[in-house]
Amino acid sequence: MTRIIRVAILETDTPIDPVLDRYGTYGAIFNRWLNKGLQGLGVTDTEIQTTNWDVVNQSVYPKPEDFDALLMTGSKHDAYADIPWMNELTKYVHDIHEQHKKPIIGICFGHQILARALGARVARNDEGWEVSVEPFQLSDTGKQLFSKESLNIHQMHTDIVYDVPPGFVNLGSSPRCKVQGLYMPQRVLTLQGHPEYDEFVTTELIKLRHAIGRFDDELAKDGLSRVGNPHDGELIARVACKLIVGYEYNGYKMCKRPPESWGIQPTIPFATQSPHVPRNTHTTSKMANQIRTLSPATNKVIFEHPGTSLDEARAIAQASDNAFQSYKQLSLAERKAIIIKALNIVDANKETLANELTAQMGRPIAYCTKEIDTMRKRADYLLSIADDSLKNLPGQAESGFRRFLKKEPLGVTLISTAWNYPYLITVNTLLPALLAGNTVLLRPSPQTPLLGERLVSYFQEAGLPTNVLQLLHVGSLDVLDEIVKLPQIKLVSFTGSTAGGIRLREATAHRVVPVNLELGGNDPAYVRPDADIAYVAAQVVDGAVFNSGQSCCSIERVYIHADVYDNFITEVQKELSTYKLGDPTDKNTTTGPVISKQSLKNIQSHIDDALSKGAIDSTPANATFTSLPAEGNYIAPKLLTNVTHDMVTMREETFGPVIPVMKVSSDEEAVALMNDSDYGLTASVWTKDIKAGEALIEKIDAGTVYINRCDYPSPDLAWIGWKNSGLGCTLGPHAFDGFYKLKSFHIKEEQS
């Protein structure tokens, strides 16, 4: 049964015209803000219903029995003014707090009115205006409440509260305002700033106040320079909803607090659906869709929630299709501007994202910020080629005729990403999709759900229109099979295992819809006798063991010319002896756990199969390889020698830190064995003779071939799988090809 929370919104002003035209009244703005906060908490059995009360022009107030909580908006008026309607408002708020003890939320002017009602001094600030996005330092109570050291919030005030009323605590302070908010547990939350504002609102206010002379040139310029900075409006909405609803964060609960070093707070929410889509928790047992994220380092649950049902996905897809009709009308320049802002927000939160990656997928913390940096490089490349990639193509010139090809967006795009390099993998498809004018349903891996949460939040903060980028948390492949059949979805892009990709193709086979697949690999490396063996050994170990071998382009098969075989094994052993396996939060760790117990079992089965068929375990002595942590999915890197091609590890994707080495007698034998595979993602040849190396890689059946390098997708080259490694391509000059449809225009300019 749905619980209804009635919130009475006291409207103490009317938005300026541009804001009113776009967002409606303050009542409408706060209705959306509160519901976004409730959605962020994941509360599924509660609904917030708001009523709006114009206390300036009508002076009509709700009866206390007709609401459960009160919210006061901001206003252009001075909260200390001695005028009838404001005096009446002050008395009303005093009575609601003292006599009826209803929860109260106060924003800016509302914050000041509550303080005035309880006897605190409110007056003009001698320090002048606080304008645009500003940080303020949280008090100890504020830190506990928001799980942060400071908050960033839109400011627009020159009046302040000077005192903290008895029974309240101050939430924080800035150099210009010592009382940035008031808090009383379970009763009151007020903020001097505007958590409901966004870049558009603040920009329009600054422009207006500059035009009428309230802001001088310097103040206006400074304020406008910060309007696009990240702010914590949604976090504040969640805390406000927690107070008025009276819930713990039980919709998507953190089961146990992770180590502090992971940098994850137990109040990180999951925004599982569009704010316009009602929650429906009914699913059949066949389609159980629970998301449970286990720490690879401990196998303890760190996040869980029910996931997106098929009914919800259907409504979300329709909302996405509706948004597509207007989003495709935006110019490419407008889309690029939004995306650049979102990427800047990602950059600003790089350390947080790195800690979250370590927590969710176990990669050592020393390497996680690199993924965010590389993501930005890829994004910058895609942005740099967008204009050329999406421009119209002229037909042949002919007198009296005009012909050209136009590249038009497809519509709703479902992007399903993988966990092993979640930000890198997602940017490959998300940016081309959005830049081309498509709307996106993003389905992150259940192992890295925060990827989706962060990206959706950051893009919304950057100004991406509502429902252009939405989130699907799907744990059940049965549900995913049904979602890809939805008629609104015009493109499916999937990154994951080959088996998963084939399954999705089968699910979409009943209708004509393009499916782009980035799948698995069993990537070979060949070391010629002229190679610098010490250098190559270090590179091959890194290519095979980095990220615990969990990369589609990891080296999984190594062929060594007989002339240098023994020397190569010795050098690999030297290199492996320097690696440190252990806790991924330790900055000295080079190799962390693998993703799951099932993965651990699969890797071990490949090792056992090889050993049973005559392979030799040649792994060097390394204390960290034998004293494994008691908990978690830890497996030591393995060097297997005396390997033959009938072993499973040489035929199938192992996806773990295993280096199987096979001796060959010639270039021809090496190439034949490299091509003897169902996969064709990458391959590498290691040699000082570049001409000979180029002749060899011409013969290799793989989408990307290297000489003296491995495991590196270059943004300016196509990332493409041959054979069972994929369908379609990402990156490179053809990165956008899968995200538009061609329309031919054939125009005869005269009717004669």
Side-chain angles (χ1 to χ4, degrees):
M1 182 175 179
T2 301
R3 177 188 180 206
I4 304 298
I5 300 296
R6 304 164 301 166
V7 179
I9 298 177
L10 305 187
E11 294 182 304
T12 60
D13 203 354
T14 301
I16 61 174
D17 287 345
V19 177
L20 185 64
D21 291 343
R22 176 176 286 200
Y23 294 139
T25 66
Y26 280 124
I29 291 170
F30 276 103
N31 177 283
R32 287 190 293 270
W33 181 73
L34 288 171
N35 277 286
K36 185 173 288 188
L38 187 65
Q39 175 196 356
L41 291 180
V43 176
T44 61
D45 61 352
T46 301
E47 178 183 342
I48 289 179
Q49 294 182 353
T50 61
T51 54
N52 304 329
W53 302 83
D54 182 353
V55 298
V56 179
N57 300 305
Q58 298 179 7
S59 294
V60 177
Y61 290 85
K63 296 178 181 179
E65 61 268 25
D66 290 338
F67 64 87
D68 303 302
L70 190 72
L71 186 149
M72 288 183 289
T73 73
S75 174
K76 62 178 174 288
H77 300 285
D78 296 328
Y80 47 82
D82 184 13
I83 54 179
W85 75 263
M86 201 175 298
N87 294 338
E88 185 178 4
L89 171 64
T90 303
K91 182 179 184 304
Y92 177 82
V93 171
H94 177 274
D95 291 346
I96 293 297
H97 176 71
E98 294 291 343
Q99 298 177 23
H100 303 284
K101 304 187 185 306
K102 300 275 187 173
I104 297 175
I105 306 295
I107 303 300
C108 195
F109 175 86
H111 156 75
Q112 296 164 7
I113 285 293
L114 181 124
R116 171 183 168 177
L118 300 179
R121 178 185 172 220
V122 180
R124 187 75 74 202
N125 185 1
D126 295 335
E127 299 294 328
W129 285 90
E130 275 192 315
V131 173
S132 196
V133 178
E134 292 268 15
F136 71 86
Q137 189 67 31
L138 288 166
S139 64
D140 289 343
T141 298
K143 292 174 185 176
Q144 183 177 5
L145 194 62
F146 293 101
S147 300
K148 297 185 69 173
E149 293 292 318
S150 63
L151 285 181
N152 292 315
I153 190 169
H154 284 274
Q155 301 278 11
M156 190 61 63
H157 68 96
T158 189
D159 297 337
I160 59 172
V161 174
Y162 279 86
D163 311 309
V164 178
F168 286 77
V169 292
N170 183 11
L171 287 177
S173 62
S174 67
R176 290 190 175 184
C177 178
K178 300 304 180 185
V179 183
Q180 282 283 354
L182 298 171
Y183 180 65
M184 177 180 285
Q186 301 178 352
R187 295 281 307 282
V188 175
L189 174 72
T190 71
L191 276 302
Q192 178 58 74
H194 286 274
E196 82 283 11
Y197 278 10
D198 62 12
E199 181 177 353
F200 174 79
V201 175
T202 301
T203 298
E204 293 301 319
L205 284 168
I206 292 173
K207 287 163 57 179
L208 174 64
R209 292 180 177 182
H210 181 236
I212 64 177
R214 294 201 71 186
F215 290 175
D216 60 26
D217 292 346
E218 183 179 354
L219 179 59
K221 181 179 179 181
D222 177 58
L224 289 173
S225 72
R226 290 179 281 105
V227 291
N229 288 356
H231 67 95
D232 292 303
E234 290 189 16
L235 170 61
I236 297 168
R238 295 194 293 271
V239 174
C241 284
K242 184 181 178 184
L243 183 142
I244 64 177
V245 174
Y247 270 62
E248 294 301 321
Y249 291 94
N250 60 352
Y252 303 118
K253 60 186 178 183
M254 172 72 75
C255 298
K256 289 193 177 181
R257 187 181 183 93
E260 292 291 338
S261 58
W262 286 3
I264 291 184
Q265 302 299 330
T267 55
I268 290 177
F270 286 82
T272 62
Q273 61 194 67
S274 162
H276 307 296
V277 178
R279 183 75 188 161
N280 176 8
T281 58
H282 174 72
T283 55
T284 65
S285 59
K286 179 183 177 182
M287 292 189 177
N289 200 23
Q290 181 80 6
I291 300 290
R292 299 180 77 242
T293 303
L294 304 183
S295 158
T298 65
N299 276 319
K300 291 182 170 60
V301 179
I302 51 176
F303 295 106
E304 63 178 352
H305 66 78
T308 307
S309 72
L310 181 58
D311 286 342
E312 290 166 348
R314 187 176 289 110
I316 290 170
Q318 185 58 56
S320 183
D321 191 42
N322 295 341
F324 170 66
Q325 305 308 318
S326 56
Y327 180 65
K328 68 180 180 180
Q329 303 299 329
L330 292 185
S331 68
L332 178 56
E334 289 173 310
R335 296 175 202 150
K336 289 171 71 174
I338 293 169
I339 287 170
I340 290 170
K341 287 181 183 178
L343 292 169
N344 289 340
I345 298 171
V346 171
D347 287 343
N349 290 276
K350 180 166 55 178
E351 296 301 325
T352 296
L353 302 183
N355 285 326
E356 290 174 356
L357 280 176
T358 295
Q360 295 170 95
M361 51 82 63
R363 185 188 305 140
I365 188 62
Y367 307 120
C368 283
T369 56
K370 180 69 173 177
E371 178 171 349
I372 309 303
D373 291 336
T374 306
M375 172 194 174
R376 184 58 189 261
K377 291 178 182 178
R378 289 190 186 181
D380 288 343
Y381 170 77
L382 292 168
L383 286 162
S384 74
I385 67 168
D387 289 274
D388 282 342
S389 297
L390 296 171
K391 68 182 180 182
N392 294 342
L393 301 176
Q396 287 187 334
E398 182 179 352
S399 178
F401 293 89
R402 185 159 51 92
R403 293 191 289 265
F404 60 93
L405 281 171
K406 186 178 181 182
K407 299 173 181 178
E408 296 195 349
L410 294 163
V412 180
T413 300
L414 173 64
I415 296 177
S416 180
T417 67
W419 53 263
N420 54 330
Y421 289 94
Y423 285 94
L424 287 178
I425 290 167
T426 302
V427 77
N428 292 356
T429 51
L430 178 61
L431 258 64
L434 291 175
L435 286 168
N438 301 288
T439 54
V440 174
L441 307 180
L442 178 60
R443 184 251 178 178
S445 164
Q447 190 62 44
T448 49
L450 284 182
L451 159 88
E453 300 296 325
R454 294 298 188 186
L455 290 181
V456 169
S457 173
Y458 294 161
F459 273 85
Q460 288 176 348
E461 190 174 326
L464 193 68
T466 301
N467 293 332
V468 170
L469 174 60
Q470 296 184 86
L471 198 55
L472 299 177
H473 281 304
V474 182
S476 164
L477 293 180
D478 290 329
V479 174
L480 188 59
D481 285 348
E482 296 304 312
I483 288 174
V484 299
K485 297 175 184 177
L486 295 175
Q488 295 91 345
I489 294 174
K490 299 301 190 290
L491 169 67
V492 177
S493 177
F494 173 83
T495 302
S497 69
T498 297
I502 292 172
R503 176 170 177 160
L504 276 187
R505 284 198 76 192
E506 292 172 347
T508 59
H510 74 292
R511 67 191 187 99
V512 180
V513 58
V515 179
N516 294 340
L517 303 174
E518 187 175 321
L519 306 176
N522 186 229
D523 296 3
Y526 169 48
V527 182
R528 298 186 76 240
D530 67 327
D532 181 335
I533 299 303
Y535 168 80
V536 173
Q539 296 300 308
V540 168
V541 171
D542 181 68
V545 176
F546 185 78
N547 208 38
S548 298
Q550 299 169 124
S551 170
C552 57
C553 55
S554 291
I555 291 178
E556 296 219 353
R557 298 178 283 148
V558 185
Y559 303 99
I560 309 297
H561 195 280
D563 292 352
V564 291
Y565 181 86
D566 291 339
N567 188 17
F568 178 81
I569 298 302
T570 299
E571 292 297 330
V572 168
Q573 290 171 329
K574 289 180 183 178
E575 184 68 19
L576 274 177
S577 67
T578 67
Y579 275 57
K580 180 181 178 181
L581 174 67
D583 179 2
T585 65
D586 182 344
K587 292 184 178 180
N588 294 314
T589 295
T590 60
T591 307
V594 295
I595 197 66
S596 66
K597 287 184 177 180
Q598 182 57 45
S599 178
L600 184 67
K601 181 179 179 181
N602 182 69
I603 295 165
Q604 189 61 56
S605 73
H606 284 205
I607 295 170
D608 292 343
D609 171 80
L611 295 175
S612 71
K613 294 175 179 175
I616 299 170
D617 184 350
S618 299
T619 309
N622 184 317
T624 69
F625 291 0
T626 54
S627 55
L628 301 180
E631 296 180 313
N633 310 313
Y634 291 92
I635 186 168
K638 286 290 181 183
L639 172 61
L640 300 177
T641 57
N642 200 39
V643 167
T644 57
H645 232 240
D646 63 333
M647 297 173 183
V648 174
T649 191
M650 302 297 276
R651 312 298 304 178
E652 299 179 8
E653 186 175 37
T654 301
F655 223 62
V658 179
I659 310 173
V661 183
M662 183 173 176
K663 186 185 299 184
V664 296
S665 59
S666 67
D667 291 349
E668 292 73 21
E669 182 185 7
V671 170
L673 290 169
M674 294 170 86
N675 286 336
D676 183 19
S677 174
D678 292 332
Y679 298 95
L681 188 57
T682 79
S684 58
V685 171
W686 303 80
T687 179
K688 293 178 181 177
D689 187 339
I690 302 303
K691 185 176 181 180
E694 287 191 73
L696 291 179
I697 62 176
E698 286 281 359
K699 302 174 183 178
I700 295 173
D701 297 333
T704 297
V705 287
Y706 304 97
I707 294 177
N708 299 329
R709 198 174 195 182
C710 63
D711 192 20
Y712 184 84
S714 182
D716 58 326
L717 296 177
W719 189 244
I720 184 168
W722 289 14
K723 305 180 189 178
N724 285 347
S725 289
L727 186 66
C729 80
T730 58
L731 300 178
H734 296 280
F736 290 84
D737 288 3
F739 297 94
Y740 59 75
K741 55 190 176 186
L742 292 172
K743 186 173 184 178
S744 294
F745 286 74
H746 190 130
I747 301 167
K748 185 178 181 182
E749 296 181 323
E750 294 184 7
Q751 293 186 1
S752 60

